[in-house]
Amino acid sequence: VAHLQRVVRRRLTTGEQRFVLLEWLTTDRPYRVARVEAFTDAASEPAESEGLATDVRRDFLRVMEALEQDPPELPVDPEALSFRVAAALELEPPGKLALLGIRSTTVRLRRLAALLQPLAADAERRAEVRYRARRNGKGGTHPHIEKVP
C-alpha cells in the first residue's frame, strides 16, 4: 500500500513553455545561461485526443479516489491534462522524462491511458482490502460457521 500511495504526488509544478536546450553559453554570470528553442506539440486529431483525455481523466480520478487523496484540478484541454497527470504520477526519472518529452498529445495520452488503466484497477483492489481490513472482526457471527460447544 505504501508503494502505491507514493504513485501520486501532492505538489505539482507547471511550466509555462517547452523548449529544447541548443547550447550552453559562456558568461561571467554566477548561473548557467543557454540558447534554447521553444516548441509545441505536433497537431493531433481533436476527436481522438478528447476521447483519450476522457479515459485518462477517469482512470486518474479512480486512482486518486482509491488512494483517498484529493485530486488536483484537472484542465479540460487534452494537452494540458496530459502534462498535469504526467506531472502528478511518481515515475522513475527516465520514465517521466520519456513521457514528458513526447511531442504529440495523442501519443502522450495513449501512454498515460496504458499506465493508468492497470494502476487504477490495482489501486481499487487494494482499497477494497483496506476497507475489509478496517471492518475485520466487526461483522457479527457468520451464518456458515458453527460454534463448537
Side-chain angles (χ1 to χ4, degrees):
V1 175
H3 167 68
L4 191 59
Q5 289 176 336
R6 288 192 309 262
V7 169
V8 181
R9 291 186 186 181
R10 290 254 180 222
R11 288 198 176 129
L12 295 178
T13 303
T14 305
E16 295 287 322
Q17 187 176 23
R18 297 175 76 196
F19 60 87
V20 174
L21 188 137
L22 299 174
E23 69 176 306
W24 290 108
L25 302 175
T26 306
T27 68
D28 59 349
R29 295 189 173 116
Y31 50 86
R32 298 192 83 177
V33 177
R35 190 165 62 87
V36 299
E37 182 175 275
F39 69 90
T40 58
D41 274 356
S44 61
E45 176 61 38
E48 184 179 10
S49 290
E50 289 172 12
L52 287 165
T54 299
D55 296 343
V56 166
R57 178 179 287 105
R58 179 198 63 228
D59 290 339
F60 180 72
L61 292 174
R62 285 174 56 203
V63 170
M64 297 300 290
E65 183 178 338
L67 295 177
E68 299 175 351
Q69 293 185 10
D70 294 328
E73 186 175 326
L74 296 176
V76 174
D77 174 60
E79 181 179 356
L81 173 73
S82 72
F83 285 119
R84 182 71 51 88
V85 172
L89 294 176
E90 271 193 30
L91 303 171
E92 293 296 322
K96 183 168 276 204
L97 284 174
L99 188 61
L100 294 174
I102 296 170
R103 293 188 181 194
S104 165
T105 299
T106 304
V107 172
R108 194 170 35 260
L109 285 167
R110 274 191 206 122
R111 297 253 176 93
L112 284 168
L115 285 169
L116 286 168
Q117 195 170 35
L119 184 62
D122 187 53
E124 288 170 340
R125 279 192 300 274
R126 291 171 184 258
E128 178 63 24
V129 169
R130 283 193 316 273
Y131 172 74
R132 288 182 182 186
R134 279 184 239 156
R135 292 184 25 208
N136 196 13
K138 299 177 185 169
T141 59
H142 193 281
H144 302 296
I145 300 175
E146 296 180 23
K147 289 186 177 184
V148 177

